[in-house]
Amino acid sequence: MREILYRPRRLRASAGIRNMVRETQLSVHDFVYPIFVVPGINIRKEIPSLPGQYHLSADQALEIARQAAALGIPAVLLFGLPEYKDAKGSSAWDMKSPVQRAMMLIKKALPDLVVIGDVCLCEYTDHGHCGLLKGQEVDNDPTLDLLARVAVSQAKAGADVIAPSDMMDGRVAAIREALDVEGFAQRSIMAYSAKYASAFYGPFREAADSAPKFGDRRAYQMDPANVREAMKEVDLDVSEGADIIMVKPAMAYMDVISKVRESFELPVAAYNVSGEYAMVKAAAANGWMEEQRTTLEILTGIKRAGADIIITYHALDAAAWLR
Ligand code: PBG
């Protein structure tokens, strides 16, 4: 008989031993739960492209936030579908818009729940791009003032964390300065630093009615083939004052998460985006994969890659499973 010097299977022999040597512990504290807020009251309508996720009026967003908090989830991330759209996206800084109203309600009722505001213009512009247009192009610098206005309006509404997802150059510095000037020096910025031009945002754009009316976002979001460029983007956001840096999407970008984790000291967030969620839901609905095991494996993988914070539509389910 051959002599085997070391037997790794010994440490896999029972659930007890596996629990003792597990290197990555997924926790409910890792999660951020995204919510889509719509105008009106008492609205709770399932989003066809995101089964199990809902369009919620501000009052119903509060109820879901309550549920998230009760499960121990530390934070929610708010997206809005506004009442009106125009070329500048001015409903994005309207204090009566769904996101601002939901923030006020949630902060009042659940002061300990961290409220994060997505700052971008694509849901609010009639052309669906993430900034002001000059001809067919998104004009970077004039867009910065608008993004700063959105950030300040969300801070006024109670947002603890401002999360710019537009990918304009210089937006973190512009937002930091505006927040400080307006008396919100204590509010943090979670920057979508390495955000790629991804097909995985498809279901979100249907949910948020934010698809560009012409062209695509490749002139501002990153090329999926690049990782050195991601380091540069993160570096810039850190130097401009970001408190948390983000990689988005997560699953096809695990190497980017891992490299950012190794190269920077700030907390790293990863966004497990709509298409990643929708794939799991579709496969599970067809009986092709087990939803719970698949989901927990994905979330554990994202954490193992180096994410401290995982933004995920699975948060409510995963939190319940982890109980
Ligand atoms: C807004 C924004 C998007 C997402 C988050 N913020 C869409 C986009 O950039 O087109 C995607 C989130 C998801 O797919 O879950 N710019």
Side-chain angles (χ1 to χ4, degrees):
M1 210 179 80
R2 262 188 74 89
E3 191 190 355
I4 295 176
L5 289 176
Y6 183 69
R7 295 179 180 274
R9 286 185 54 186
R10 287 179 197 133
L11 297 185
R12 296 176 202 142
S14 69
I17 290 206
R18 290 193 295 272
N19 284 341
M20 286 171 70
V21 301
R22 186 161 300 119
E23 298 173 35
T24 306
Q25 302 279 357
L26 194 62
S27 152
V28 63
H29 295 137
D30 303 330
F31 301 149
V32 172
Y33 186 54
I35 295 177
F36 295 92
V37 195
V38 298
I41 49 165
N42 213 15
I43 293 165
R44 188 189 182 112
K45 206 164 151 252
E46 192 165 25
I47 300 170
S49 59
L50 291 172
Q53 306 304 314
Y54 297 84
H55 280 141
L56 302 159
S57 49
D59 58 298
Q60 293 299 307
L62 170 60
E63 292 317 309
I64 292 275
R66 228 187 266 288
Q67 227 175 296
L71 284 162
I73 295 169
V76 291
L77 169 61
L78 300 190
F79 294 97
L81 287 89
E83 214 125 20
Y84 59 96
K85 302 196 189 212
D86 57 27
K88 292 197 304 189
S90 44
S91 52
W93 58 84
D94 185 333
M95 291 304 285
K96 291 195 221 60
S97 274
V99 161
Q100 282 82 355
R101 290 183 41 230
M103 282 174 172
M104 291 188 258
L105 284 179
I106 294 171
K107 268 331 277 187
K108 189 155 175 235
L110 304 165
D112 295 334
L113 184 69
V114 175
V115 171
I116 309 176
D118 181 89
V119 167
C120 195
L121 297 178
C122 60
E123 297 134 71
Y124 303 91
T125 50
D126 49 18
H127 45 75
H129 277 285
C130 302
L132 275 178
L133 290 183
K134 186 160 139 198
Q136 300 279 94
E137 276 178 18
V138 175
D139 198 1
N140 194 90
D141 297 13
T143 299
L144 300 182
D145 290 336
L146 305 186
L147 295 168
R149 269 174 96 163
V150 181
V152 167
S153 78
Q154 293 185 354
K156 280 185 183 150
D160 302 286
V161 181
I162 298 300
S165 68
D166 52 282
M167 288 303 275
M168 296 302 119
D169 297 333
R171 80 270 165 79
V172 172
I175 289 172
R176 183 71 271 159
E177 190 191 332
L179 289 174
D180 291 354
V181 166
E182 298 288 333
F184 299 111
Q186 286 302 316
R187 310 298 174 90
S188 356
I189 297 177
M190 175 168 78
Y192 289 71
S193 303
K195 175 172 177 180
Y196 289 87
S198 173
F200 287 93
Y201 308 150
F204 173 96
R205 290 185 188 169
E206 195 177 317
D209 185 29
S210 68
K213 295 284 178 303
F214 66 89
D216 55 43
R217 305 209 201 289
R218 283 180 241 212
Y220 40 105
Q221 297 179 349
M222 282 182 56
D223 183 335
N226 293 354
V227 63
R228 292 194 301 268
E229 187 188 359
M231 297 302 117
K232 184 66 194 167
E233 280 283 7
V234 174
D235 201 25
L236 283 167
D237 285 358
V238 171
S239 68
E240 290 178 29
D243 301 283
I244 299 170
I245 47 194
M246 193 200 299
V247 175
K248 175 187 178 191
M251 288 167 66
Y253 300 86
M254 296 275 199
D255 58 323
V256 183
I257 297 172
S258 153
K259 194 142 192 236
V260 170
R261 172 65 295 155
E262 278 168 23
S263 311
F264 298 90
E265 304 304 328
L266 292 180
V268 175
Y271 200 139
N272 176 217
V273 299
S274 58
E276 300 172 334
Y277 171 86
M279 287 196 302
V280 173
K281 294 302 265 191
N286 279 289
W288 296 335
M289 292 200 293
E290 285 174 51
E291 182 173 353
Q292 178 171 341
R293 284 190 60 202
T294 306
T295 301
L296 293 176
E297 187 173 332
I298 289 169
L299 297 175
T300 301
I302 294 170
K303 181 153 188 195
R304 193 193 62 237
D308 304 292
I309 297 167
I310 305 172
I311 304 163
T312 180
Y313 303 97
H314 295 292
L316 295 182
D317 289 336
W321 296 329
L322 290 174
R323 286 212 140 179

